[in-house]
Amino acid sequence: MDITQYFTDYTLRTITLGTAVLGAICGMLGSFAVLRKQSLLGDAISHAALPGIAIAFLITGAKDSNVLLLGALVSGLVGTWWIRGITTKTHLKTDTALGLILSLFFGFGMLLLTYIQKQPNANQAGLDKYLFGQAATLVESDVMLMSVVTGVSLIVMLLFWKEFKLLLFDKNYAMTLGFNTKFIDGLISFFIVLAIVIGLQTVGVVLMSAMLLAPAAAARQWTNSLSVMVLLAAIFGMFSGVFGTAISASQPNLSTGPVIVLVAAVFVAVSFIFSPGRGILFKQLRLLRNRRELELQKTLYFMYTIVRKHDDISRPHAIKILNNFQGFTRNTLSQLEHKHWIEINGNQWSMTHSGFETASNLYNTNLPES
Amino acid sequence: MNPSIEIQLIAAVTAAACAIPGVFLVLRKMALISDAISHSILPGIVIGFMITQDLASPWLILLAAVSGIITVVLVEMIQKTGLVKEDTAIGLVFPALFSIGVILIAQNANDVHLDVDAVLLGELAFAPFDRLYIGGTDAGPKALWVISTILVITVGLLLAFYKELKLSTFDIGLSSALGFSPVVLHYGLMSVASVTTVAAFDAVGAILVVALMITPAAAAYLLTTDLKKMLWLSLLFGVGSAIGGYWFAKWLDASISGSITTVLGILFFAIYLFAPSKGLIAILLRQNRQRKEVSLLTFLLHLNNHDSLEERHVSHLQEHINWRKVKAKSVLDLAEQNNMITIENQVVSLTKKGLEFTEKALEYIITNKDEKIEDMKDDFFLFRG
């Protein structure tokens, strides 16, 4: 497959567009899920949507994807609502509640699906695409639906931006200011569930949770500002969709959903390692630099304890006397010289005024005379 | 043995083997680890199959269990960086591993008789067909042997390390101070959960494993706080739902895993609603009663503070304490029934009993000393606990 075909192939263009839009909306709404410590809500809700799909099919007997999505939405919302009920009313914790809803709803959905299969008029082929997702079945109308949902949630997000932000970071304060926190809470949850449901037929139940939180977790590493994070997460999600589709199209037998998830995982890994503020790499480097600085200061202070016993601070001393000091090396010595804290003359060193000044201010405490 | 009994046996033993680690997962707030493991063992199985080319090989189970433990280690590693919270760490690790598994399967689709559907959903009805032969004689379904062995090992470990497990679950600080390594116990538990998940998902599918681990324990936790009772109850719930679910499936002619999960769901829902002290209904009733009692106390204190006839007029009370009419009426009735007030010509006055009660409550509020209300505790929920 060459690059021109990529832009001319109708199916591929539709899929790319669809996964890009999906990635963007997931990244955007996923940021809220991650910051609300509801990362695994996506996992639970995507499983909880299954019985809704089955029931919608049982009632209407049609395989119209909008009707099925509506069923998924309803059962996803029921799941969310029950999770909240369990965590607020009983002493069961969030993780237990999520696991319960996830497995119980999904099991019930499976029961319904096998029941549908055995019905005489069953033409349930296609229902199981919601389990594993088939990006290949995306058509233009699906992409339209996704775009509309993305647009609506974007508008709602902008309208309630202040409220969302306040609720995320200080719920109690929002309450005392008189905001209807229950309503705002419900609004966020509703849109998160909506995003999950929309993504089901593209990446499937299992991988939906990763779509929701991987771009957000990656974006979180680069910024401390909510608006930047949401924007970055949307961009990461979008690129995961585009790259994932491109990679999976480049080879046969490469399912789109899993590839998208792996691309998103690469974004996360890169962010974890290379983000300047929080990344592991720079954190280690900072740690190393601090440690080296400390070693240097230790050496300087040791010299200071020698020097201050003499009237003349610039009196030379033999380098040999330093050798028993831990952490002292040729390297630190030349660094000290480089900083003009000491001067080296053959086998002898002497402290400069600036070195003496620095050393005496190092520990601003009353250390006992040693 | 006929297949029907064999299936029920496999289901029941699997339920029992899942219920034991499940209790500790729920208590340690790690319930979702079972979900993560059940998905992330997929690459282990696929790689095992690619090496041995044999779906029945024990290497598959071993490699799957190893990838389960790798999941736990990875989650912990990510969590230790402090960049994200634990739940996010779980949510990042298992979809990635699962994706690798799915891609591996798709890449080798032609020669692997491994289906993602089958892995996730499982089909108990087929379990009796895969039989174990010892020297040519039929020794029963293989799945039954595997899962029974795991159950025996789990029970053995539980009995051997009961005290340590209990201590480290409820007081991790004390347990490490006493010299039980929390890390060893943690990974021991995780290994048991991982191996059980692997063995169980082979028979019943990944999602049912999660349901069998979490639901019985969660339901039991709503009924008791005693660890031993909780273990017994979850065993009972698990095994009961497994057998009940089998018959339900037979009646509906549908997936056994699905119907066991559904029975578990119905059971949990019933306990969630009706559990004597921690069920939803009990909690709502209690909250309602508490609310009423607070209202009553507010009302009595108000009466105590105001002597003038005007302040004690029924119609005035409504606006003064800012209650709606219905609520004011019900509080008034409650107080009258308890002989705490009398109403004459629409004017309310405290009785002797009401006065005593109010003064005691006031004293308690001012001093906040428990002994002031000892004798009121029986009558009023408000002052208990």
Side-chain angles (χ1 to χ4, degrees), chain A residues 272-324:
Chain A
F272 275 12
I273 297 172
F274 295 109
S275 92
R278 296 159 55 102
I280 302 168
L281 183 70
F282 288 100
K283 212 185 258 172
Q284 282 301 325
L285 283 181
R286 267 200 302 276
L287 204 70
L288 222 63
R289 208 176 47 219
N290 286 347
R291 189 167 299 159
R292 220 180 289 135
E293 189 76 12
L294 197 65
E295 292 287 313
L296 216 61
Q297 290 178 0
K298 257 162 75 181
T299 314
L300 183 70
Y301 194 76
F302 181 70
M303 290 169 163
Y304 171 72
T305 55
I306 297 168
V307 167
R308 71 174 167 182
K309 290 191 183 108
H310 303 275
D311 293 333
D312 176 20
I313 57 163
S314 53
R315 194 189 119 146
H317 297 270
I319 288 177
K320 258 200 302 202
I321 61 166
L322 295 173
N323 282 355
N324 60 353

Side-chain angles (χ1 to χ4, degrees), chain B residues 159-359:
Chain B
L159 293 178
F161 296 104
Y162 182 76
K163 239 187 281 170
E164 288 83 349
L165 269 172
K166 188 173 178 177
L167 197 59
S168 78
T169 300
F170 294 111
D171 193 338
I172 193 151
L174 179 61
S175 89
S176 46
L178 289 177
F180 307 134
S181 162
V183 178
V184 171
L185 281 170
H186 176 78
Y187 279 102
L189 184 64
M190 283 300 143
S191 308
V192 170
S194 188
V195 172
T196 311
T197 307
V198 174
F201 101 92
D202 190 29
V204 300
I207 301 300
L208 180 55
V209 175
V210 181
L212 281 176
M213 282 211 178
I214 302 178
T215 319
Y221 199 17
L222 287 179
L223 294 174
T224 179
T225 47
D226 179 324
L227 180 60
K228 241 177 218 158
K229 269 189 208 148
M230 191 172 158
L231 279 163
W232 281 115
L233 275 176
S234 31
L235 277 172
L236 182 78
F237 291 153
V239 174
S241 314
I243 292 169
Y246 171 79
W247 290 104
F248 187 50
K250 199 158 189 189
W251 176 65
L252 266 181
D253 189 22
S255 145
I256 301 175
S257 298
S259 78
I260 292 178
T261 319
T262 307
V263 171
L264 277 169
I266 295 168
L267 181 82
F268 176 77
F269 189 58
I271 291 174
Y272 171 69
L273 286 184
F274 301 114
S277 70
K278 291 167 198 153
L280 189 64
I281 291 176
I283 286 170
L284 289 180
L285 284 178
R286 196 162 52 217
Q287 283 178 349
N288 191 26
R289 190 167 167 202
Q290 254 169 330
R291 212 169 292 138
K292 248 193 216 150
E293 283 174 355
V294 171
S295 304
L296 180 66
L297 191 62
T298 320
F299 170 62
L300 292 176
L301 287 173
H302 175 83
L303 280 184
N304 198 29
N305 276 349
H306 297 280
D307 291 330
S308 72
L309 286 179
E310 208 176 295
E311 288 277 358
R312 289 190 281 132
H313 197 271
V314 171
S315 60
H316 174 76
L317 286 173
Q318 275 170 21
E319 64 183 85
H320 196 122
I321 320 190
N322 210 2
W323 284 336
R324 275 173 292 116
K325 214 164 193 163
V326 187
K327 193 175 172 188
K329 178 92 175 70
S330 71
V331 172
L332 219 55
D333 286 348
L334 188 71
E336 203 172 7
Q337 274 161 27
N338 282 306
N339 292 327
M340 287 180 169
I341 54 164
T342 49
I343 304 175
E344 271 172 53
N345 296 331
Q346 296 290 78
V347 171
V348 188
S349 30
L350 279 171
T351 61
K352 197 165 165 269
K353 186 186 167 198
L355 202 64
E356 268 172 28
F357 176 85
T358 318
E359 256 154 25

Side-chain angles (χ1 to χ4, degrees), chain A residues 17 30 37 81-82 116 118 147 189 220 228 254 271 304 362:
Chain A
L17 213 59
K37 302 190 185 73
W81 178 68
W82 198 10
I116 290 171
K118 302 229 162 92
S147 311
S189 301
R220 174 71 188 91
V228 179
L254 214 51
S271 306
Y304 171 72
L362 265 186

